[in-house]
Amino acid sequence: MQMDGSYDFIVIGSGQGGVPFARAAAEAGKRTALIERAAIGGTCINYGCTPTKTLVHIAKVAQTVRRAGEYGVLSGPPTMDMPKARELKRQIVADFSNGSREQLEKTENLDLIFGHATFTGPKRMRVGERTIEGGAVVIDTGARPFIPDIEGLASARYLDNRTIMELDHVPPSLIVLGGGYIGLEFGQMFARFGSRVTIVEQGSRFLPREDADVADEILEFLRTEGVDVRLGDPVKRVRRSGGVEAELASGMFVKGDEILVATGRRPNTDDLGVEAAGIALDGRGFIPVDSRLKTSAEGVYAIGDVNGGPAFTHISYDDFRILKTNLLDDGDRTTEGRLVPYTMFTDPELGRIGLSEDEAKRKGIDYRLCKLPMDYVARALEMNETRGFVKALVSKETDLILGAAALGIWGGEIMSMIEIAMMGGLTAKDLANATFAHPNLSELLNNLFG
């Protein structure tokens, strides 16, 4: 077969791991191809972190206006200009994506190829009319919304996390299928925009990966804001007749003007032709990798959401650092033992790091629990943002911090401080005795660990 190009590295997908690796390889003098079939930046920039957190902040502004009277500020109820909010979101996305593309196009030794890549053999693929091969291949194709097989859903003109952000109006009522992070962030967001929101979660336990006290607190503040959350009653069928009607397994009906499907993610592997390259998939279609991100095929690596690991941008970026260390810098780095922080951007935020209480109990770890409600925190009281609490698990044997959940104003930033302490091997006593500037939120660590 006639080859149109031979590269040292081929990167498929321009996500938050693929872009920096392609640039690093090219800057190291390796002939590199980066293949992208859509917009530069992957899910995070185009459909995930960047646009959603822009809209989350706009929803926070609307809620602040709504609460203005609590602060002695006289104001009327907020009215949303969704076309303007959408344009702000679009502009920020375009700035991020176009800036990344410009950097790539200026990088020597790097070919940016737009098109869909399909493997035709080991480390060989077709992109449009071209056939190229590489010394090594990095797959960073990410994931897309998982659409459940529910009767009538396909014809109900449903929204997903991409299309809901393109609405030019606030739907009077919104049904959200799924009570995970995506569903909760969008559910609260549109409730603050002015929609009447119903979240339908098929599981009987709300946020089952979180401790019960954390999940219960989040459920309570959502309901306080008027969000109707239905648990343990999955949708049986969906019908659109003007609006949308969802019949639940119990026989009850939920009606709305629009329906958002937020029931998880599926990997973008079904049209890659992985069988031709000898790349194994797991039962859900993800690409299993070892601790060095190697797939079952020699010289082929998978990073980011497509490998079935924690689906976070910062994990994808750390995957890049592992590959850079091992393939470009002559080092040896793995995923073993890496901390996995994450934040759910509801308001208040939930920041999580390390072990939860449930995990510690299952593993038989002897710990002591440190817990502080946010209405014991001076700065939170001064801002009238006292919902939530911070809790941490501390080893009884070593006094080291094992994990933490920060549910409160700027919870992700509080969690990050605790993560730094964990990385540095600081003990609970160290934080209890530290001098933090008053009245910063960081000061709560004195009382939490004291």
Side-chain angles (χ1 to χ4, degrees):
M1 180 181 295
Q2 179 68 35
M3 300 301 299
D4 295 318
S6 181
Y7 294 89
D8 297 305
F9 289 102
I10 296 175
V11 181
I12 308 174
S14 67
Q16 299 305 293
V19 166
F21 182 79
R23 290 191 65 201
E27 289 168 356
K30 308 295 183 180
R31 187 164 187 241
T32 304
L34 175 60
I35 303 169
E36 176 54 62
R37 65 179 178 180
I40 297 296
T43 296
C44 179
I45 286 180
N46 294 290
Y47 315 111
C49 324
T50 299
T52 61
K53 277 45 184 184
T54 300
L55 293 176
V56 161
H57 180 69
I58 293 172
K60 171 72 170 177
V61 172
Q63 185 70 357
T64 301
V65 173
R66 193 173 286 113
R67 294 181 58 202
E70 297 177 24
Y71 300 89
V73 178
L74 301 182
S75 175
T79 301
M80 290 301 302
D81 181 346
M82 286 304 291
K84 186 170 184 177
R86 182 180 63 181
E87 183 56 32
L88 175 61
K89 180 267 302 183
R90 285 177 175 175
Q91 187 58 56
I92 293 173
V93 168
D95 288 348
F96 280 30
S97 181
N98 293 339
S100 182
R101 177 170 178 169
E102 289 173 7
Q103 287 183 327
L104 290 168
E105 290 175 337
K106 293 176 182 176
T107 303
E108 293 185 8
N109 301 315
L110 177 60
D111 289 345
L112 182 56
I113 303 172
F114 285 95
H116 176 66
T118 306
F119 283 98
T120 59
K123 295 183 284 187
R124 177 181 296 177
M125 65 204 65
R126 183 174 59 252
V127 186
E129 300 300 317
R130 301 177 61 179
T131 298
I132 62 175
E133 66 178 356
V137 175
V138 177
I139 301 173
D140 183 32
T141 51
R144 64 187 187 275
F146 169 76
I147 308 301
D149 186 17
I150 295 174
E151 181 183 338
L153 181 60
S155 59
R157 301 196 307 278
Y158 60 83
L159 301 167
D160 60 24
N161 69 292
R162 302 182 182 192
T163 54
I164 193 170
M165 291 188 290
E166 288 300 308
L167 290 177
D168 61 1
H169 65 285
V170 177
S173 55
L174 175 68
I175 302 170
V176 179
L177 299 190
Y181 282 24
I182 295 174
L184 298 189
E185 288 180 10
F186 276 111
Q188 185 184 45
M189 177 197 303
F190 273 84
R192 290 179 166 192
F193 287 161
S195 296
R196 187 177 69 256
V197 175
T198 302
I199 296 175
V200 181
E201 167 54 49
Q202 66 176 0
S204 58
R205 166 98 184 261
F206 189 61
L207 290 175
R209 295 184 181 180
E210 307 301 335
D211 289 333
D213 58 348
V214 173
D216 289 346
E217 186 83 359
I218 294 170
L219 181 59
E220 176 61 24
F221 72 62
L222 287 172
R223 285 176 168 164
T224 299
E225 291 192 25
V227 178
D228 181 10
V229 181
R230 310 286 183 93
L231 298 176
D233 199 1
V235 174
K236 183 178 178 181
R237 62 175 60 91
V238 174
R239 183 174 69 93
R240 181 177 281 277
S241 178
V244 180
E245 183 178 76
E247 181 182 354
L248 308 184
S250 64
M252 297 184 67
F253 290 85
V254 176
K255 296 182 179 180
D257 293 276
E258 300 289 351
I259 186 166
L260 166 67
V261 179
T263 51
R265 310 280 290 170
R266 60 178 298 184
N268 293 322
T269 56
D270 47 339
D271 55 1
L272 276 177
V274 293
E275 60 283 349
I279 301 168
L281 303 179
D282 67 13
R284 299 179 300 159
F286 291 96
I287 303 176
V289 294
D290 66 12
S291 63
R292 290 172 176 78
L293 305 172
K294 296 178 181 178
T295 71
S296 61
E298 182 66 29
V300 179
Y301 303 82
I303 62 176
D305 296 0
V306 76
N307 69 22
F312 304 118
T313 291
H314 45 280
I315 295 300
S316 181
Y317 189 79
D318 193 59
D319 285 352
F320 143 68
R321 289 185 291 211
I322 290 171
L323 287 193
K324 180 177 183 295
T325 297
N326 297 343
L327 301 182
L328 300 176
D329 297 341
D330 242 359
D332 186 19
R333 184 169 175 168
T334 74
T335 60
E336 294 173 7
R338 80 175 163 189
L339 292 171
V340 181
Y342 58 90
T343 301
M344 180 172 70
F345 289 90
T346 49
D347 177 28
E349 297 173 356
L350 170 64
R352 280 271 289 108
I353 183 66
L355 291 177
S356 67
E357 269 199 274
D358 288 346
E359 290 170 325
K361 289 173 181 176
R362 285 197 302 268
K363 294 179 179 181
I365 295 173
D366 198 13
Y367 68 90
R368 66 181 176 93
L369 179 66
C370 304
K371 190 170 182 178
L372 184 73
M374 290 301 290
D375 60 10
Y376 276 48
V377 179
R379 183 65 169 154
L381 287 163
E382 291 155 1
M383 293 188 290
N384 195 24
E385 295 282 2
T386 57
R387 293 179 297 172
F389 56 83
V390 181
K391 72 175 193 175
L393 280 62
V394 176
S395 168
K396 285 187 176 180
E397 179 182 359
T398 65
D399 201 40
L400 293 172
I401 303 164
L402 304 174
L407 177 60
I409 180 71
W410 301 337
E413 306 300 334
I414 296 168
M415 173 274 292
S416 296
M417 289 193 66
I418 297 174
E419 179 188 7
I420 292 170
M422 293 170 66
M423 293 169 62
L426 297 180
T427 65
K429 184 177 180 180
D430 291 329
L431 293 182
N433 292 328
T435 302
F436 296 107
H438 175 76
N440 287 343
L441 283 172
S442 55
E443 196 178 36
L444 70 82
L445 299 178
N446 291 146
N447 294 327
L448 174 67
F449 292 107

